[in-house]
Amino acid sequence: AHACRRARYVRFAIATAVYFIPPMLFMYSALRFSAALFCVRSYQWDARKPCVLVTGGVHGYEKSGVQGALRFLASGAAREYALAFNLLVCPCVSPWGYEHVQRWNRDTVDPNRAFGPSASEGPAEEAAALMRLLATLDGAKWAAHVDLHETTDSDEGEFRPAKAARNGDAYF
């Protein structure tokens, strides 16, 4: 029940944020075991402008990243930045992790370690979906990527022991 409420809240918050700036809200992928992936893109994407990517919720248990991305969209700052930059905001990259308050996705892969050709965690559906989205913006001149994270106190007590158990390693 909590997961369902959190998913509805994220969808509601994105829809509410859309009211404040003239963006394009769209679903860029659907995951096997989770919610659809949504992002907000500048309404008037201009190939001459530099681009800024803002991501949140790569680690689902870092809720402030999702909240920060949504608040950025709802703020006057997003409107101001959109005058000078093409904005692409993906507020919740890992919705399953967000809904279940987990660092990993459902497949026990850390999406943050699954981007690019040297991904240390192996493939993550969320990372692949975001990379496909970025590939559709061929020719985009990326000036910045703001990846919103937070420091949690659960890494030492929950994440590192679980990672060691997953990998068959001893944890001290």
Side-chain angles (χ1 to χ4, degrees):
H2 292 293
C4 187
R5 272 182 274 168
R6 278 193 295 274
R8 277 196 307 264
Y9 171 74
V10 169
R11 287 191 293 274
F12 168 77
I14 291 172
T16 302
V18 168
Y19 174 77
F20 294 99
I21 60 173
M24 289 177 52
L25 169 68
F26 62 96
M27 183 180 94
Y28 66 92
S29 189
L31 301 176
R32 291 175 298 144
F33 300 108
S34 191
L37 296 171
F38 289 93
C39 69
V40 176
R41 191 181 96 168
S42 294
Y43 179 68
Q44 295 180 333
W45 194 270
D46 183 346
R48 297 168 296 184
K49 288 183 184 178
C51 304
V52 174
L53 172 64
V54 177
T55 54
V58 174
H59 292 138
Y61 70 160
E62 296 175 359
K63 295 179 177 288
S64 66
V66 174
Q67 301 304 312
L70 294 172
R71 286 184 181 197
F72 172 70
L73 285 171
S75 74
R79 219 175 338 209
E80 293 297 316
Y81 280 109
L83 296 174
F85 298 96
N86 293 316
L87 294 178
L88 179 63
V89 181
C90 302
C92 192
V93 173
S94 183
W96 187 91
Y98 182 79
E99 292 166 6
H100 294 89
V101 195
Q102 294 291 316
R103 178 182 177 113
W104 293 328
N105 65 13
R106 187 178 188 279
D107 299 321
T108 65
V109 173
D110 181 346
N112 198 46
R113 304 285 183 265
F115 287 97
S118 60
S120 63
E121 282 280 322
E125 197 175 6
E126 302 86 345
L130 184 55
M131 296 306 288
R132 282 192 306 274
L133 170 64
L134 296 177
T136 66
L137 301 170
D138 189 33
K141 295 175 275 189
W142 295 103
H145 174 201
V146 180
D147 191 18
L148 302 170
H149 286 268
E150 72 178 271
T151 302
T152 67
D153 59 0
S154 62
D155 276 1
E156 213 46 58
E158 293 179 31
F159 171 69
R160 285 190 175 81
K163 183 176 180 182
R166 178 196 72 178
N167 295 340
D169 298 333
Y171 178 77
F172 299 99

